[in-house]
Amino acid sequence: MRGSPVSRRAAQRFRQLAFLSAGSVKVKLLLGFCIFFTLILLVFRASTFIQWTHHYNSIDQSDLHRKGYTLLINTWKRNDLLKKSISHYAACLLLESIHIVWSEPDPPSESLNRYLQHIVKAYSKNGRKIELEFDTNTKDSLNNRFKEIKNLKTDVVFSIDDDVIFPCSSVEVAYSVWQSAPDTMVGFVPRMHWLDQSRGNMDHYTYGGWWSVWWTGTYSMVLSKAAFFHKKYLAMYTNEFPASLREYIAHNRNCEDIAMSFLVANATGAPPIWVKGKIFEIGSTGISSLGGHSQKRTECINRFVLQFGKMPLVSTSMKVVDSRDTWFW
């Protein structure tokens, strides 16, 4: 016997409510998951933002007996930025020594030297001693940052500008990558050169900035504003790199970083290695923000190619990421 219309309507209404209730639970679960994931992501991003000021111990203590690296920092009349940079990098556990490339007309003041020496002394504990030296130059030249340093304490230098800071964890990853390929340049700031197709068969090249790298995923240089390389390249730059090109760099006040990329690529026949890392720019804009910067660097590349008699730069699309701090890679 079939039920009454009232009972059938009640049953139908009950099923509708049950369906809506189940759907509501699913929506709530989905929203809850999204909110939880977003909060986790925000916490992760916030932690990476403060890493450069709060170094965390990500190194196996058994590695500390190995030779570390020398910080080779280029500066020019920005003592406040220099102090911030030294204060940060002195906390990096594998740092062995610091060489400050000083090209100002006046020597570093006693108060600045005392301040920086006090910083490195504060981190020189448990048998670790960080050495700090000013490499003073009588002449202001971009070539000064690559002058040979006698009796360097380590085999590798970490070349850095005074207005950029990377977390110690990122620096340690780049250093470990360099150890696996010690003849290669390993750095954080990739750039590219391109063959100018509009010139027909002429070997004319153009300079590709960051957006060119971002769009194509290809690079052939890592800039010396943040890069590891073997100390032998300082000697090669000083003693073997064509003097005419060093004069060209000094006169134009540009492209010393491209020159180092040419030198290393010519010696190895291999591409550099780009390490992805968080970069914190603590200074004002530099020469790269000036008008005509890319054109000047295009001119440099073609001048270097003419002098070398070939294009030594090798392009690659390989990128190193630290999987410990990466969700998607």
Side-chain angles (χ1 to χ4, degrees):
M1 185 174 182
R2 307 182 68 176
S4 67
V6 175
S7 63
R8 286 201 300 271
R9 283 196 299 269
Q12 185 179 11
R13 179 61 177 169
F14 177 77
R15 286 195 296 270
Q16 288 176 345
L17 289 174
F19 175 79
L20 290 174
S21 177
S24 176
V25 170
K26 291 180 180 178
V27 170
K28 289 179 180 179
L29 286 174
L30 181 60
L31 287 174
F33 176 78
C34 291
I35 293 172
F36 175 76
F37 181 81
T38 301
L39 290 174
I40 292 296
L41 188 60
L42 288 173
V43 170
F44 167 75
R45 292 298 184 191
S47 67
T48 58
F49 180 76
I50 62 173
Q51 277 177 9
W52 77 268
T53 53
H54 298 282
H55 169 68
Y56 63 89
N57 184 6
S58 60
I59 299 180
D60 186 340
Q61 295 294 322
S62 63
D63 289 340
L64 295 181
H65 70 278
R66 298 182 303 176
K67 254 190 173 183
Y69 57 87
T70 294
L71 186 73
L72 183 62
I73 185 166
N74 194 55
T75 188
W76 174 259
K77 294 187 175 182
R78 299 192 291 192
N79 290 352
D80 56 334
L81 300 186
L82 180 62
K83 291 176 181 178
K84 289 180 181 178
S85 293
I86 298 300
S87 297
H88 167 69
Y89 289 112
C92 298
L93 296 179
L94 293 177
L95 177 69
E96 290 288 332
S97 63
I98 301 171
H99 281 258
I100 302 170
V101 180
W102 189 270
S103 301
E104 298 181 21
D106 297 322
S109 65
E110 281 298 322
S111 60
L112 175 63
N113 187 41
R114 282 197 305 270
Y115 182 91
L116 297 180
Q117 294 291 351
H118 175 74
I119 291 173
V120 297
K121 185 177 180 180
Y123 287 100
S124 298
K125 299 176 180 177
N126 302 321
R128 179 190 183 211
K129 182 180 180 182
I130 304 172
E131 297 179 357
L132 183 143
E133 294 184 23
F134 284 90
D135 297 333
T136 56
N137 299 277
T138 57
K139 183 179 179 181
D140 176 26
S141 171
L142 291 179
N143 294 307
N144 291 342
R145 73 179 306 162
F146 298 138
K147 287 180 72 172
E148 182 180 11
I149 302 175
K150 301 291 186 180
N151 302 318
L152 200 60
K153 190 175 181 180
T154 66
D155 290 334
V156 60
V157 298
F158 179 41
S159 176
I160 194 80
D161 283 353
D162 61 3
D163 60 351
V164 291
I165 282 180
F166 291 87
C168 290
S169 57
S170 296
V171 177
E172 290 154 7
V173 169
Y175 174 64
S176 67
V177 172
W178 175 86
Q179 286 181 305
S180 68
D183 288 327
T184 306
M185 240 177 135
V186 177
F188 296 99
V189 187
R191 294 294 183 265
M192 182 60 188
H193 75 283
W194 299 102
L195 183 63
D196 189 351
Q197 301 290 345
S198 66
R199 300 296 183 105
N201 293 326
M202 294 179 61
D203 290 336
H204 187 271
Y205 300 90
T206 59
Y207 174 79
W210 161 245
W211 290 112
S212 173
V213 175
W214 178 84
W215 182 255
T216 64
T218 306
Y219 65 98
S220 58
M221 298 172 273
V222 290
L223 301 186
S224 57
K225 68 183 296 179
F228 282 93
F229 53 83
H230 198 282
K231 66 179 181 182
K232 66 184 178 183
Y233 294 122
L234 297 177
M236 291 175 64
Y237 189 94
T238 302
N239 304 312
E240 301 176 25
F241 195 72
S244 60
L245 292 185
R246 292 202 306 272
E247 292 172 4
Y248 175 84
I249 291 166
H251 177 73
N252 289 277
R253 298 194 62 80
N254 207 326
C255 302
E256 85 288 354
D257 48 0
I258 297 178
M260 179 56 79
S261 289
F262 264 70
L263 185 150
V264 176
N266 188 62
T268 63
I273 300 176
W274 170 24
V275 176
K276 183 180 178 181
K278 285 284 184 181
I279 180 172
F280 299 93
E281 300 195 31
I282 60 175
S284 58
T285 55
I287 61 172
S288 61
S289 62
L290 301 178
H293 177 68
S294 292
Q295 179 58 35
K296 287 181 179 179
R297 291 169 79 78
T298 290
E299 293 171 1
C300 287
I301 287 177
N302 288 286
R303 175 65 182 269
F304 296 166
V305 168
L306 183 64
Q307 183 74 41
F308 276 72
K310 63 178 181 179
M311 166 52 78
L313 298 177
V314 180
S315 61
T316 182
S317 57
M318 183 180 73
K319 178 173 68 174
V320 176
V321 298
D322 186 355
S323 61
R324 298 170 300 176
D325 297 332
T326 305
W327 283 56
F328 303 105
W329 58 284

